Amino acid sequence: MDADLIVQILFAAIKTGTPLLFIALGEVICEKSGVLNLGQEGMMLMGAVVGFLAAYGSGNMGFGIIAAMVMGSIMSLIFAVLVLHIGANQVATGLALTIFGTGLSAFIGADFVGQTIQGFQPIAIPLLSDIPYVGQILFSHDILVYFSFFMTALLVYVVNKTRIGLTLKAVGENPHAANAIGIKVLRVRYLAVMFGGAMAGTAGAYMSLVYTPMWVEGMTAGRGWIALALVVFASWRVGRIMLGAYLFGLASIMHLVLQGLGWSISPNLLAMLPYVATVVVMVIIGADHFKEKLLAPRSLGKPFDPRNMA
Amino acid sequence: MIRIQARTEPSSLMKVASPLLAIVLTLIFGAILFSAIGKSPVQALHVLLIAPLADSYNIGEMFVKMGPLLLCAVGLSLCYRANMWNIGAEGQLLAGALGGSAMALYFIDSESVFALPITLLAGIISGMAWAAVPTFLKLRYNSNLILTTIMFNYIALYLLIWSVHGPLRDPDGYGFPESALFSDITLLPTLFEGSRIHLGILFAIISGIIGWFILSKTHLGFQIRVFGADEPAARYAGFSSKKLSWFVMLFAGALAGLAGVSETTGPIGQLTPNISPGYGYSAIIVAYLGRLHPIGAIIAAMFMAVLYMGGDLAQIEMGIPVAVISMFQGVLLFFLLACDFFINNRLTFTNQATN
């Protein structure tokens, strides 16, 4: 393999990892507040179809992204009401959200399957993109990839250095204590869940507006689930999610790498790689039981009912 | 004013009424949706719910769809009762179809009376194996069962696609990604002349009864119930969580595998890439709708099969995309979870605002 091919592979790994990065950034904030939302796949598909339709109808890509974000938030709001107010089981509600979103997105998008759209064009950042190799890998992308860089940096800062981050972690670690010092636990959780929805929507829009760019039923192909594994893989640390997303991106494009090495393997077998990689990762992290217990938000998946506090 | 008040005892009436209420609310949602897209809601609901039961051919097709849904749902009911979040029925079904089909193709020139039982057994064992790996990974390495079972669904799907493109492809099939048609010796017999209803539906109903028997009449079932209701109590009583986990997962895998092999050796008669329209995922809804009870699952699976049939008919007769079915399934589960709130809570009406 020559240097050019390696550059191309790393560039593609970032592109492929970006939707995973968006969902996982949203989900980690959601999980840090103590809520496990398994509806990522459904929110992402709704973001993909609504983003596509909005951009297709208006001719404005930015509008498509915003519509996808709003749609993702609306979807997550259904989940939030059921889980936070009605106290429904988080696992079951998340599954319902995924099934609902899969169906609704296919229903809405049925007439638009196969239509194509002029996707976002790459923008080379002046100066930075001239750095040999690194510039080509990191700074010759479309605007959404830069947005994902920005969001990662922003969330690392907010979670680790600000009062908002502290509040979020307090709610996720010990909602009762947080409630006792006057934090509105449910309000924080609503906002965290809806932020997760908006990010999942963005990830969906990235799929239908940039990555493919078109709408196909079920086009997210399990990325919402892989992102959930990614959050565990990153031990709920925002910075590590970025690294993990690109590693998974690399696993998804292994066929390019193997072709580069001159191997020939059935594409259907290679298509299994990201899923097999996810299982392997789950085994590696899970094996360190103590560490996972230590790092996971302590109230993750447990309902909090303020009425019981009185 | 209206206040929400916690019940002192869970309402047993609401436990039964909640799924029915959820179905009614879903139908109202459906009627509103159909009006919104300019279809007659009355006609749409008629096509979805009445037409599937209107003639004997449709009823037969309904039972064909009910079989795999019920087989998967019975296994999942036991899993969820034991707090094993197995989302992998779809993959276990596909694995069963794949393993069973490989065996059926091996018997393609055989006349042996054992060909069909061995084919079915191969499907069952494949489904069990597909459930065993995530179970082992969970119990040995503490890996997240929800995520591993879902990943195994995708892996099974690609394995199936690969095999019909490769080793199991019909050499005389003009390159289509399908296996050869199975020999009659490995096809499940149909129950009635002129209908596609086959032995699979009997397997399903028997599995429901076996599931009920295990859960209600055996010590094992008692342990599962205690484990689901109060895990610390079950551990204190010395019940082995490992043994129970293995049992429910292998049981679910076996039934899902049987569902898969029954599809390929039943109505389909060969292995194709799209043997399941998401039965394994819909079975999750069936299990919940049936209150995680094997007998409840029988009724819920019948309803879900009607909905599947109705979806096909609505597409043919009214041009409504078939995806509407999975949307209804999601809405149904939302409403069910919301209605379940009233098992432990109730609304009270008071004349004056309390302070």
Side-chain angles (χ1 to χ4, degrees), chain B residues 269-354:
Chain B
Q270 65 181 141
L271 187 64
T272 72
N274 35 8
I275 48 165
S276 165
Y279 286 138
Y281 294 110
S282 306
I284 299 169
I285 315 260
V286 173
Y288 269 101
L289 201 60
R291 307 267 72 157
L292 305 185
H293 192 290
I295 302 297
I298 296 179
I299 301 162
M302 196 178 283
F303 173 76
M304 193 62 79
V306 168
L307 205 57
Y308 258 102
M309 271 301 291
D312 287 352
L313 294 174
Q315 187 173 35
I316 297 164
E317 292 182 16
M318 300 180 71
I320 294 170
V322 75
V324 77
I325 296 311
S326 91
M327 183 172 67
F328 278 173
Q329 291 177 352
V331 172
L332 184 59
L333 190 48
F334 282 144
F335 280 129
L336 182 67
L337 293 164
C339 291
D340 280 354
F341 178 71
F342 295 102
I343 292 175
N344 290 310
N345 295 274
R346 62 177 171 175
L347 299 175
T348 51
F349 301 90
T350 50
N351 288 329
Q352 57 192 40
T354 47

Side-chain angles (χ1 to χ4, degrees), chain B residues 46 49-59 313:
Chain B
H46 181 270
L49 294 172
I50 312 294
L53 300 171
D55 62 58
S56 61
Y57 173 79
N58 283 352
I59 293 176
L313 294 174

Side-chain angles (χ1 to χ4, degrees), chain B residues 18 23 126 165 191 303 337:
Chain B
S18 169
I23 289 174
S126 307
H165 278 94
L191 298 180
F303 173 76
L337 293 164

Side-chain angles (χ1 to χ4, degrees), chain A residues 82 86 92-93 95-97 99-100 103-104 106-107 222 225 266 268-269 271-272 275 279 282-283 286-287 289 307, chain B residues 4 37 87 137 141-144 147 150-151 154 158-159 161-162 165 285 288 321 323 326-327 331 333-334 337 341:
Chain A
L82 279 166
I86 298 184
T93 313
L95 284 171
L97 189 64
I99 295 171
F100 174 67
L104 183 58
F107 185 71
W225 296 110
S266 156
N268 290 316
L269 286 181
M272 291 178 199
Y275 310 109
V279 173
M282 295 311 297
V283 170
H289 191 33
R307 290 178 303 159
Chain B
I4 293 166
I37 60 168
I87 317 293
L137 296 180
Y141 297 106
N142 186 41
S143 61
N144 184 314
L147 292 175
I150 283 176
M151 292 302 129
Y154 286 101
Y158 283 108
L159 202 60
I161 294 174
W162 169 74
H165 278 94
I285 315 260
Y288 269 101
S326 91
M327 183 172 67
V331 172
L333 190 48
F334 282 144
L337 293 164
F341 178 71

Side-chain angles (χ1 to χ4, degrees), chain A residues 286-302:
Chain A
D288 201 345
H289 191 33
F290 179 69
K291 197 170 149 204
E292 196 188 334
K293 272 251 159 95
L294 204 65
L295 294 170
R298 206 157 306 153
S299 73
L300 187 59
K302 296 191 187 107

Side-chain angles (χ1 to χ4, degrees), chain A residues 185-298:
Chain A
V185 171
L186 290 187
R187 186 184 299 170
V188 172
R189 288 190 169 174
Y190 264 104
L191 290 173
V193 169
M194 287 177 72
F195 176 77
M199 293 308 274
T202 313
Y206 185 84
M207 293 298 298
S208 66
L209 295 181
V210 183
Y211 194 73
T212 327
M214 57 155 112
W215 160 252
V216 185
E217 258 178 49
M219 64 187 297
T220 53
R223 285 181 173 78
W225 296 110
I226 293 178
L228 283 161
L230 190 54
V231 172
V232 187
F233 170 73
S235 327
W236 290 268
R237 288 192 191 140
V238 180
R240 284 197 197 167
I241 284 179
M242 190 178 216
L243 176 70
Y246 297 150
L247 283 177
F248 274 84
L250 192 64
S252 313
I253 52 154
M254 271 318 266
H255 58 279
L256 284 181
V257 180
L258 293 177
Q259 272 166 15
L261 292 168
W263 293 19
S264 79
I265 298 178
S266 156
N268 290 316
L269 286 181
L270 285 173
M272 291 178 199
L273 263 174
Y275 310 109
V276 174
T278 306
V279 173
V280 171
V281 163
M282 295 311 297
V283 170
I284 294 170
I285 340 164
D288 201 345
H289 191 33
F290 179 69
K291 197 170 149 204
E292 196 188 334
K293 272 251 159 95
L294 204 65
L295 294 170
R298 206 157 306 153

Side-chain angles (χ1 to χ4, degrees), chain B residues 71-85:
Chain B
L71 280 167
C72 293
V74 169
L76 293 183
S77 298
L78 262 63
C79 286
Y80 297 164
R81 287 218 175 214
N83 287 336
M84 289 294 278
W85 294 102

